Amino acid sequence: KNEIIEERNCTSISNINNHLSNIDIVSINCMKTNETKNMFSYNEFKKMKKTSMIINCARGGIIDEKALYQALINKEIASAGLDVFDEEPYPADGKLLKLQNIILSPHIAGVTKESISRMGVQTVENALNVIDNNYDEEVIVNYKDINIK
């Protein structure tokens, strides 16, 4: 997977904490596990650039929301975008709603009529491609491991 990352002029890192002071935008797109719970708390925000932004489209609880609130009001980071929360739906009286430097939205990207239709069409196309022995490396994550090429 590192060669794919490098082909796109990106760098794979094993410990994000060693790089937070250099990152402009952090986009969280991982599973919530014991290891990732509160992965971003006030200590991590203090390491980030004051001009940086954090986005969480993964799961609530990966970002410590109380720490995020403090980091935003103390200008430890510039802004944030969340569509997942510790408590869903996010409470109408939640502190984050009072801030001007955050965008909040519901986590609904995969439940529109258009996305459900598109997922169905892509699934059928992928299945037909397998039958036709016409594999698309971009849609098969482990194509090297299953010896199809």
Side-chain angles (χ1 to χ4, degrees), residues 38-90:
N38 290 325
M39 181 168 66
F40 278 85
S41 63
Y42 200 70
N43 289 333
E44 285 73 30
F45 295 128
K46 285 190 69 70
K47 293 176 187 174
M48 294 171 68
K49 293 179 180 181
K50 295 196 181 298
T51 56
S52 64
M53 169 191 288
I54 190 161
I55 300 167
N56 186 7
C57 296
R59 293 288 178 253
I62 294 174
I63 291 179
D64 177 337
E65 290 177 10
K66 290 177 184 167
L68 175 62
Y69 177 81
Q70 290 300 316
L72 290 169
I73 63 169
N74 294 334
K75 302 192 184 316
E76 296 294 339
I77 63 171
S79 57
L82 307 177
D83 77 344
V84 290
F85 309 95
D86 288 335
E87 181 183 340
E88 294 190 10
Y90 190 73

Side-chain angles (χ1 to χ4, degrees), residues 111-130:
V111 293
T112 63
K113 285 190 278 185
E114 295 83 1
S115 66
I116 291 169
S117 174
R118 194 174 332 117
M119 284 187 281
V121 169
Q122 285 179 319
T123 300
V124 171
E125 286 176 351
N126 292 339
L128 291 173
N129 285 341
V130 168

Side-chain angles (χ1 to χ4, degrees), residues 9 27 37-38 48 54 65 67 77 85 98-99 102 139:
N9 294 321
S27 178
K37 185 176 180 188
N38 290 325
M48 294 171 68
I54 190 161
E65 290 177 10
I77 63 171
F85 309 95
K98 296 174 177 66
L99 301 179
I102 189 168
V139 299

Side-chain angles (χ1 to χ4, degrees), residues 129-130 133-149:
N129 285 341
V130 168
N133 207 22
N134 181 21
Y135 302 101
D136 181 355
E137 294 176 13
E138 294 295 318
V139 299
I140 301 174
V141 176
N142 62 336
Y143 74 93
K144 290 179 182 175
D145 298 327
I146 59 176
N147 298 318
I148 62 171
K149 286 244 174 193

